[in-house]
Amino acid sequence: MGSRMSIRKRLFIGIAATVCISLVGHPALQTQKHAHTVFADTVGAGSFTSGQRVTIQHKTAFFPGALSKNSNLKNLKVSYYGTKGESLRLSSVKGEMAFFQTDSRGDLWLPTWYVSKEAANVKEISPLSLQLGSSGNIFLAPGSALKWPTSQTGTSLIAIAQWKDWYGVMISPSKWKEDYQIYRPAMLWVQSKDVTARKSMPGRLLAGDSEVSTDVVRNLTEILFKRGTSSSYVKTLLGEPQAREISRNQEPRSGKPMIFGETWRYEQRDSYYSVTFSPSGKLTASEWTIPAAGPFERSYSPGDDYEFTYRFTVMPPLKTIEAEPNWRNQGNLNHTFLLGANEDVLLLKGDDGGFSGMHDNSSLYAIDRRTGKKLWQEDAGFGAYTAVLDQDRKHVTMFSAYDPAIKDYVARIRHIRLSDGQVLWELKPKNEFGLTMKAAANTIIIDEPLNPNETKSVLSVLDQKTGKLRWKKTLSGEHRLLNQGSDDPHVLIEQNGRLYAYDPDTGKAVWNNKVGNKFMDDPTQDPYFTGGYRYDPLSPADITTRWMLLGKEWVLLNTKTGEREGGYPAREMERFEVLNERYLLVQRALNGQYFSGATAYESLLYDGIEDKVVWTVEGKAARAVIEGERVYLTLNGIPAAVSIEDGRVLWKMENTAAVSDDLSHLVGSSYGVLGRYLLLSLGSDLVVLDKENGKSLGRLHNVITGNVDLREQDARNGALNVTDHEVLIGTVNGAFIRYDVEELMKRLDEL
């Protein structure tokens, strides 16, 4: 065994190029020592005219400048590849280099040989490890006059192509990530006569027993993989993946049938690599996820290959946890959120995730809680819709502004039975725009503007069961309807510095309070707001007494009696989450002109009973849940546990983020507390943490999560919900998933 290992070590000297692979379906070609060579400079400047269209005959690197004998081969700064069959308009030729000016990619250079008919005969081969003589040279193209000594690259190289008695070899950049750019390997050429040894590389580069460095594999995937590469080729090169999952939706057009393929995950100790295939097994996307050496960086794509990305994570790579759900419901829109439920039915929102809320399609649908079977669905197209459940949670009232069936705006209010989708009554308001729908005890409240250019509106209160009008009231001037749901005892209207409570049956005023003039915009109306209450769709809490912005203060108000039970000053640079009846978790911006524009934050725990700040921590603390003597939260997006008594950070998930990094955008759900475990949507993964110490145990298999712009409250309330018996998870590939708590905990205990 010792001699075998020593041989293996000798094989991996250099840039790990002496480790190599034999690929099924891509056999290495035999060297043709006596073949006639067509020199690269025979298609030089004299063969072209300015403005001529030329066609690339084989995949090649685009260089940002013309190469010369003084070029540093380890610093070619290649971002773009030209593909076979790509047509370009030539600007000029300099020696053996063709120059192109493009609108989207800037100035590009490539060897003229790649637009010659000879280049069409290049053959892709299984990667070979080549050993070159020290006196050999690296050539721009077969027969090129432009060459460099092997001292620039080293004598160990990997061949990936062959043309007659020439090998195309991979030249990798010494710095592949620099100045927010990804630099890619190029292919240059060596003569067969300069090769002193060649060896097929062993297969399964990302298998558990592979000794090939991640950098070598990463460069090979860059230069060998492209859109359309077959899954069989990927498997031969990389080996069997550690996990196979249903891909994200590959149909970019909303309203078209969703398209799913497979995503394979190769999970290494120092990174992981995912590749996604179409239903026919052709490569459509890939992503290298690599722990960052320093602060957080956004994802990058090399050149314009936007489907081939690099993600630099400040958290350790996650291993996949195999755990089978009870059921998986597949919706027809990308994003799924739980809105409400009763014992038998789950009510969901579907959304296509259009950027900044400009979606093309959304839906309201119900699924059987035991089986996951869809019961019914109402589509709302790209119009807004509102859905409120009645008190017994057997029905939902839906306002929608657009009817996708007739492709026109039609305002409709429909009262729908959850069990079967039966519409029990329907109304059609006059206005599609500006209408607000709320609910109070057994009533539906409609605030409908009389004229889009005026502030006057009509408030109509309808019987929830029948849709019949109970009473109406004309409202003039600026006002706010402050109802939250069907459990509210009164209709609540703030107007002219006072808050009025009206009996939902008769419309008579029950009480009113002076609250003062408007001090600032209500942050709860900001679509990016993630604070306030977390509403549990499965078992909503009684919030008859709740916090609301009234004048210059946040008031803890008993909405039944109108009594003030607490207060907290309203400040433009603060937001807060309501943790329970006693505590507020307040985020405070420390700089900038507005809250969301700050670069530094602190967070404090406010005790409403004692009317004091208990503690302050550095950073933006959010998504908090209290359990016992701990608060589980995220600090600038990093999961953490804090002592409720003194704010001491008990643990923080392992990370390399800088103090100033804010990763809050990665958090796609609230916490789910599962026995001694915590669940949280973090980036694209549903992560499992040890509740005691914050150690990451991995990610749940085939659960693709994420955040989506302007659906922050939907995600906070309905992306992850845990009861004593079930775990319910919304995803970003249209699935909604149910796990049995006992079975999932048993699986996690085995880890």
Side-chain angles (χ1 to χ4, degrees):
M1 177 63 72
S3 64
R4 290 179 62 189
M5 288 300 295
S6 63
I7 292 171
R8 179 171 292 175
K9 288 179 180 177
R10 289 199 299 271
L11 287 174
F12 285 86
I13 294 173
I15 60 168
T18 44
V19 243
C20 346
I21 310 188
S22 152
L23 296 181
V24 175
H26 291 257
L29 300 180
Q30 295 298 315
T31 303
Q32 302 175 32
K33 294 185 178 180
H34 304 293
H36 173 65
T37 297
V38 177
F39 289 94
D41 59 0
T42 62
V43 285
S47 304
F48 299 101
T49 58
S50 179
Q52 177 183 350
R53 293 204 73 87
V54 295
T55 300
I56 297 173
Q57 299 299 321
H58 189 272
K59 179 179 178 179
T60 181
F62 281 128
F63 303 99
L67 302 192
S68 71
K69 64 180 182 179
N70 297 319
S71 296
N72 180 353
L73 298 189
K74 304 298 285 184
N75 190 32
L76 297 176
K77 296 187 181 300
V78 172
S79 293
Y80 301 99
Y81 286 137
T83 59
K84 183 176 182 179
E86 183 177 353
S87 178
L88 294 168
R89 190 173 299 280
L90 182 69
S91 296
S92 63
V93 172
K94 181 180 179 180
E96 298 178 29
M97 301 289 292
F99 174 52
F100 304 90
Q101 292 177 308
T102 68
D103 293 332
S104 61
R105 295 182 286 186
D107 293 350
L108 304 174
W109 294 79
L110 63 78
T112 55
W113 189 82
Y114 286 95
V115 298
S116 72
K117 63 182 181 180
E118 282 77 17
N121 296 318
V122 172
K123 303 296 183 184
E124 294 180 356
I125 63 172
S126 303
L128 289 174
S129 175
L130 302 183
Q131 193 68 34
L132 305 179
S134 58
S135 61
N137 291 296
I138 311 296
F139 293 80
L140 177 67
S144 173
L146 185 55
K147 59 186 179 180
W148 301 268
T150 54
S151 59
Q152 274 217 35
T153 61
T155 56
S156 296
L157 294 173
I158 297 176
I160 56 175
Q162 190 168 21
W163 184 84
K164 298 185 178 179
D165 61 346
W166 292 79
Y167 285 108
V169 292
M170 181 176 72
I171 307 297
S172 303
S174 57
K175 291 185 178 180
W176 62 273
K177 178 176 72 73
E178 188 178 28
D179 299 329
Y180 306 104
Q181 295 283 330
I182 299 295
Y183 294 125
R184 315 170 89 169
M187 186 171 71
L188 299 178
W189 294 83
V190 299
Q191 284 184 284
S192 179
K193 67 180 182 61
D194 291 332
V195 176
T196 60
R198 59 181 62 82
K199 184 177 178 64
S200 296
M201 294 178 70
R204 304 180 339 115
L205 286 178
L206 290 181
D209 58 353
S210 173
E211 297 187 31
V212 183
S213 73
T214 298
D215 268 349
V216 170
V217 182
R218 183 183 54 75
N219 279 302
L220 282 169
T221 62
E222 272 284 2
I223 203 164
L224 294 178
F225 292 173
K226 57 185 180 295
R227 285 187 64 87
T229 297
S230 70
S231 59
S232 60
Y233 180 72
V234 172
K235 184 178 178 181
T236 302
L237 184 66
L238 303 182
E240 183 68 32
Q242 280 69 50
R244 294 174 182 243
E245 300 182 327
I246 300 171
S247 76
R248 293 190 182 214
N249 178 23
Q250 297 181 40
E251 172 53 71
R253 296 167 297 177
S254 181
K256 298 291 184 180
M258 300 176 83
I259 298 175
F260 299 103
E262 270 195 338
T263 294
W264 296 358
R265 286 175 58 95
Y266 292 91
E267 298 175 346
Q268 307 299 104
R269 288 187 299 273
D270 59 346
S271 63
Y272 72 79
Y273 181 53
S274 66
V275 283
T276 297
F277 301 100
S278 68
S280 61
K282 301 299 182 184
L283 186 64
T284 60
S286 74
E287 182 174 73
W288 278 99
T289 300
I290 299 173
F296 174 77
E297 293 183 83
R298 64 177 178 84
S299 297
Y300 298 106
S301 298
D304 50 5
D305 287 331
Y306 302 116
E307 300 87 356
F308 294 76
T309 58
Y310 285 83
R311 182 158 59 93
F312 302 98
T313 176
V314 297
M315 302 172 196
L318 298 169
K319 298 296 184 182
T320 295
I321 302 169
E322 297 281 349
E324 285 299 317
N326 290 116
W327 50 254
R328 179 186 184 96
N329 173 276
Q330 182 60 54
N332 66 339
L333 294 175
N334 291 330
H335 300 270
T336 60
F337 307 103
L338 183 63
L339 294 182
N342 60 36
E343 292 182 356
D344 302 313
V345 180
L346 301 174
L347 184 67
L348 273 68
K349 176 181 180 179
D351 197 292
D352 62 8
F355 182 71
S356 291
M358 300 301 293
H359 59 254
D360 291 315
N361 286 285
S362 59
S363 64
L364 179 72
Y365 64 106
I367 57 180
D368 186 289
R369 194 165 178 171
R370 288 180 292 273
T371 67
K373 180 182 177 181
K374 184 193 290 185
L375 302 173
W376 55 267
Q377 178 167 323
E378 293 289 344
D379 295 322
F382 52 73
Y385 84 75
T386 305
V388 293
L389 286 162
D390 57 9
Q391 285 182 304
D392 64 6
R393 307 180 78 77
K394 299 294 185 182
H395 307 84
V396 62
T397 305
M398 177 185 186
F399 161 70
S400 57
Y402 183 81
D403 185 350
I406 63 173
K407 298 181 180 180
D408 199 4
Y409 283 97
V410 178
R412 294 181 293 169
I413 298 172
R414 287 166 286 171
H415 191 64
I416 304 168
R417 190 162 56 210
L418 257 61
S419 60
D420 58 8
Q422 180 69 38
V423 176
L424 302 180
W425 57 261
E426 179 173 350
L427 295 176
K428 293 187 177 179
K430 294 179 181 179
N431 297 314
E432 298 88 4
F433 306 104
L435 184 147
T436 299
M437 186 181 80
K438 301 276 189 176
N442 300 313
T443 60
I444 295 297
I445 309 165
I446 308 298
D447 188 7
E448 188 175 6
L450 289 176
N451 188 311
N453 299 319
E454 297 179 4
T455 58
K456 182 180 291 188
S457 66
V458 173
L459 188 82
S460 302
V461 179
L462 313 177
D463 184 281
Q464 204 168 55
K465 289 185 177 180
T466 66
K468 301 295 184 182
L469 179 68
R470 288 188 177 181
W471 54 273
K472 66 169 53 179
K473 182 179 180 64
T474 300
L475 300 173
S476 299
E478 187 174 354
H479 61 276
R480 288 195 301 159
L481 186 59
L482 296 179
N483 286 80
Q484 290 291 336
S486 296
D487 293 328
D488 277 347
H490 305 302
V491 177
L492 302 173
I493 302 172
E494 183 196 13
Q495 188 176 30
N496 300 325
R498 301 195 75 86
L499 177 62
Y500 299 87
Y502 297 97
D503 185 287
D505 292 321
T506 65
K508 292 182 179 180
V510 179
W511 54 259
N512 73 87
N513 293 337
K514 183 178 180 180
V515 297
N517 294 326
K518 178 181 176 181
F519 172 69
M520 68 182 199
D521 290 335
D522 188 346
T524 65
Q525 302 306 305
D526 181 348
Y528 288 106
F529 178 70
T530 58
Y533 290 87
R534 186 204 174 181
Y535 299 101
D536 186 346
L538 298 171
S539 54
D542 179 8
I543 53 172
T544 300
T545 300
R546 69 170 182 268
W547 291 93
M548 58 180 66
L549 179 63
L550 298 173
K552 295 183 178 181
E553 192 176 23
W554 289 97
V555 176
L556 183 61
L557 186 75
N558 186 313
T559 58
K560 187 173 185 177
T561 64
E563 293 179 3
R564 182 185 185 277
E565 299 184 6
Y568 184 83
R571 299 184 177 100
E572 288 277 7
M573 301 299 278
E574 289 186 353
R575 303 288 185 267
F576 64 76
E577 295 181 9
V578 181
L579 302 190
N580 56 24
E581 293 180 352
R582 180 172 185 174
Y583 292 112
L584 301 179
L585 182 66
V586 182
Q587 302 93 32
R588 178 181 294 156
L590 299 178
N591 57 21
Q593 297 183 352
Y594 50 93
F595 178 82
S596 60
T599 57
Y601 297 86
E602 66 179 11
S603 301
L604 55 95
L605 185 71
Y606 172 74
D607 185 331
I609 294 178
E610 299 289 337
D611 189 23
K612 69 177 184 179
V613 174
V614 182
W615 45 255
T616 302
V617 295
E618 185 178 4
K620 188 191 295 181
R623 305 293 173 105
V625 59
I626 290 179
E627 188 185 54
E629 300 302 315
R630 291 184 172 190
V631 184
Y632 299 107
L633 45 73
T634 60
L635 278 174
N636 287 346
I638 304 294
V642 175
S643 167
I644 197 170
E645 181 180 7
D646 56 13
R648 181 166 46 95
V649 177
L650 303 174
W651 57 255
K652 201 173 183 181
M653 184 178 176
E654 183 182 349
N655 71 93
T656 61
V659 174
S660 59
D661 286 342
D662 187 358
L663 309 183
S664 301
H665 65 282
L666 296 179
V667 183
S669 74
S670 295
Y671 277 107
V673 180
L674 187 69
R676 65 185 185 92
Y677 306 105
L678 295 174
L679 306 178
L680 185 70
S681 168
L682 206 56
S684 60
D685 301 308
L686 204 289
V687 177
V688 182
L689 301 171
D690 187 309
K691 192 169 67 176
E692 183 61 31
N693 55 28
K695 180 183 177 182
S696 169
L697 303 180
R699 57 180 292 275
L700 288 184
H701 174 251
N702 214 9
V703 181
I704 314 302
T705 67
N707 214 337
V708 58
D709 202 36
L710 288 179
R711 284 78 165 179
E712 276 71 15
Q713 290 291 19
D714 288 333
R716 183 183 176 212
N717 297 329
L720 171 63
N721 297 91
V722 179
T723 71
D724 292 338
H725 306 291
E726 61 193 345
V727 177
L728 298 168
I729 305 169
T731 72
V732 298
N733 63 351
F736 195 80
I737 302 169
R738 181 191 188 274
Y739 289 89
D740 179 86
V741 162
E742 186 177 342
E743 291 176 1
L744 182 56
M745 288 180 62
K746 181 179 178 181
R747 175 68 185 97
L748 297 177
D749 289 341
E750 295 171 352
L751 300 176

